[in-house]
Amino acid sequence: MRPLTIETYRLMYFVTGAQRFSYFFAVVFNTILNVVFLKGIGLLLVGIVPFIEYFNLVFALPHYIGMVGIGIILYFVNLKVVPFHMLDYANMVKTKYVKLIIYVVLCIVLFLYPIFIHRYFE
């Protein structure tokens, strides 16, 4: 989580120039990507892992409160992993944004998987 948050922070700081806004945007953006990633992995492991159906119930329609709960937990974990004083370190590190681009593309594919799997592959 730390490299992704630092890369997102550097990109947003380059665009906006605001330090605190860039930090909280990076934390929220990576939290959303982590929730999408967990949901996608849960859908991919349905036939492989026997207890994954219970995990997917968290992301089902009436249980969105569980998904928000997972998002809040991941948000606080991300805040703990990358505290605000890490921004000094982020300004010294040279970033290439490769990890961020790969993770965003992977999350987009995992997000679109349940939509297009029924339309094109059945």
Side-chain angles (χ1 to χ4, degrees):
M1 275 192 257
R2 183 177 292 168
L4 296 172
T5 306
I6 289 175
E7 288 181 5
T8 308
Y9 164 74
R10 291 279 302 206
L11 182 65
M12 285 306 298
Y13 186 71
F14 177 74
V15 171
T16 63
Q19 193 175 27
R20 287 202 185 268
F21 173 76
S22 300
Y23 171 72
F24 286 110
F25 179 84
V27 171
V28 169
F29 183 72
N30 286 322
T31 301
I32 291 170
L33 286 180
N34 289 335
V35 170
V36 168
F37 183 79
L38 286 176
K39 180 181 185 209
I41 291 297
L43 290 174
L44 287 176
L45 294 176
V46 166
I48 300 170
V49 179
F51 61 85
I52 204 71
E53 289 87 14
Y54 302 115
F55 179 75
N56 286 335
L57 285 176
V58 173
F59 297 104
L61 184 61
H63 302 284
Y64 279 132
I65 295 171
M67 184 173 65
V68 171
I70 288 176
I72 291 171
I73 291 169
L74 286 174
Y75 175 77
F76 286 116
V77 167
N78 206 359
L79 280 177
K80 192 71 166 173
V81 169
V82 186
F84 191 70
H85 64 81
M86 283 290 293
L87 301 181
D88 298 330
Y89 170 72
N91 292 330
M92 291 185 281
V93 174
K94 189 173 185 176
T95 55
K96 297 181 182 177
Y97 306 111
V98 175
K99 294 176 225 156
L100 180 65
I101 292 169
I102 290 173
Y103 194 63
V104 168
V105 168
L106 181 67
C107 287
I108 289 171
V109 168
L110 287 174
F111 180 76
L112 295 177
Y113 169 74
I115 297 170
F116 290 112
I117 192 70
H118 300 298
R119 188 175 299 163
Y120 295 114
F121 297 108
E122 284 187 356

